Amino acid sequence: MYLKRPAGGLAFCLFYLASCFTNKYVLSVLKFTYPTLFQGWQTLVGGLLLHVSWKLGWVEINLCSRSEILSWLPASVLFVGIIYAGSRALSRLPIPVFLTVHNAAEVITCGFQKFVQKETSRLKVCSVLFLLVAAVCLPLCDTQFDPNGYLWALIHLICVGAYKVFHKLWKPSSLSDLDQQYINYVFSVVLLASASHPAGDLFSALDFPFLYFYRFHSSCCASGLLGFFLMLHTVKLKSSTTSGQYAAWSFLAKVITASLSPFFFVMTANVLTISCLVISGVGEALLVYTERTGT
């Protein structure tokens, strides 16, 4: 079966949907476009909650080897690039468009597997070509075309692909997924906090019109909590299912999120735009099939 562990998978889908919608609301509706502060806040909340969970014995984190921690730092740099560029892109692009470009990160990982590891199947190459065609054609027919939004989405795509490739190359002997995420959180908070003043976000945010509004505070709190719970459920789902089953749940979460988003956020689409979204969906569905069958 594609979808095993229904309780964990459905919880993952719910947190994925809620986290994506909350971030979109803060970034696009409230227009809080200060990524060093917003992403710094989210990683601070995630890091603190993960640290408290560790100290209370709810999760297990082992950071005994300094050399392995240092060897993971390049991935943490890419993680900062993922969340920073993703925040910039999501503030400008509709959720289905953002997810379509995001999916094209598989082009990088597939290219690495084909030309370096020599282990990619023809079916996987075909599925990645669907993702690539959708991502390339989408800006050409997007009636809401935003060049800056697509530029940040491209940077996000590159960082996601590079992160996955680094994870394949890096052979950890003791760092678990939670260990890696803990390092990512700590590094992100330090880097984003240090960059908030040079980037101009620190003082520009003082002029934010909703700075003292309850809906802004509650949305920011929700974004931090939802991001943390999404991370926990992602790690749990990966550890309790096969890669094919996890890919299926991830695909379902994206389909649900992309399908519901036009009912909550403004999106103008034509036949060509919808065709690109469908092509991307077909490409990811084929990827799920290749992960499940190992072809």
Side-chain angles (χ1 to χ4, degrees):
M1 294 176 63
Y2 272 21
L3 302 178
K4 293 184 178 180
R5 304 276 181 177
L10 290 174
F12 166 78
C13 291
L14 177 62
F15 282 117
Y16 188 97
L17 172 69
S19 179
C20 195
F21 274 28
T22 304
N23 289 342
K24 182 64 176 175
Y25 176 76
V26 174
L27 293 168
S28 293
V29 178
L30 298 182
K31 298 187 184 302
F32 187 74
T33 53
Y34 309 102
T36 57
L37 299 181
F38 186 52
Q39 296 303 323
W41 161 256
Q42 288 189 321
T43 51
L44 175 63
V45 172
L48 287 176
L49 291 177
L50 187 55
H51 185 79
V52 170
S53 300
W54 172 29
K55 293 303 180 182
L56 291 176
W58 295 343
V59 298
E60 184 177 351
I61 295 179
N62 298 299
L63 300 174
C64 54
S65 175
R66 181 176 298 181
S67 62
E68 286 195 339
I69 294 174
L70 293 175
S71 69
W72 181 253
L73 288 184
S76 294
V77 174
L78 291 171
F79 177 79
V80 175
I82 290 171
I83 60 176
Y84 183 92
S87 178
R88 289 284 194 186
L90 190 59
S91 68
R92 293 174 171 272
L93 300 177
I95 290 176
V97 173
F98 173 77
L99 292 178
T100 298
V101 180
H102 169 86
N103 289 342
E106 289 297 331
V107 174
I108 297 176
T109 56
C110 181
F112 169 77
Q113 290 176 322
K114 180 172 180 61
F115 297 108
V116 177
Q117 296 182 329
K118 310 293 185 181
E119 59 182 30
T120 301
S121 66
R122 291 183 179 179
L123 183 58
K124 189 168 187 178
V125 172
C126 181
S127 64
V128 168
L129 286 177
F130 274 98
L131 298 176
L132 180 61
V133 168
V136 170
C137 294
L138 187 57
L140 302 178
C141 56
D142 187 358
T143 57
Q144 294 175 285
F145 177 73
D146 185 320
N148 287 329
Y150 277 101
L151 175 61
W152 284 112
L154 176 62
I155 296 172
H156 170 79
L157 177 160
I158 293 171
C159 290
V160 170
Y163 186 92
K164 291 181 177 181
V165 169
F166 183 87
H167 197 275
K168 290 179 180 295
L169 287 172
W170 192 74
K171 303 297 182 182
S173 58
S174 63
L175 292 183
S176 66
D177 288 342
L178 285 177
D179 298 335
Q180 295 165 12
Q181 193 59 43
Y182 187 82
I183 298 170
N184 288 343
Y185 279 149
V186 173
F187 183 85
S188 300
V189 170
V190 173
L191 185 60
L192 291 171
S194 303
S196 61
H197 178 59
D201 290 353
L202 187 60
F203 292 108
S204 297
L206 296 176
D207 298 323
F208 180 62
F210 300 108
L211 187 61
Y212 302 105
F213 281 60
Y214 170 76
R215 58 175 173 168
F216 169 66
H217 297 158
S218 59
S219 298
C220 285
C221 289
S223 70
L225 291 171
L226 289 169
F228 171 72
F229 286 119
L230 174 61
M231 181 276 298
L232 278 186
H233 278 79
T234 301
V235 172
K236 183 178 179 180
L237 192 62
K238 281 184 175 180
S239 64
S240 61
T241 61
T242 65
S243 60
Q245 292 161 4
Y246 170 75
W249 281 115
S250 180
F251 173 63
L252 179 61
K254 292 175 185 177
V255 169
I256 293 173
T257 302
S259 300
L260 293 179
S261 65
F263 295 101
F264 296 89
F265 305 101
V266 176
M267 177 181 176
T268 304
N270 54 28
V271 175
L272 293 177
T273 301
I274 295 174
S275 299
C276 290
L277 302 181
V278 172
I279 290 171
S280 178
V282 171
E284 191 168 10
L286 284 175
L287 270 181
V288 172
Y289 179 78
T290 59
E291 284 290 338
R292 181 177 180 273
T293 59
T295 56

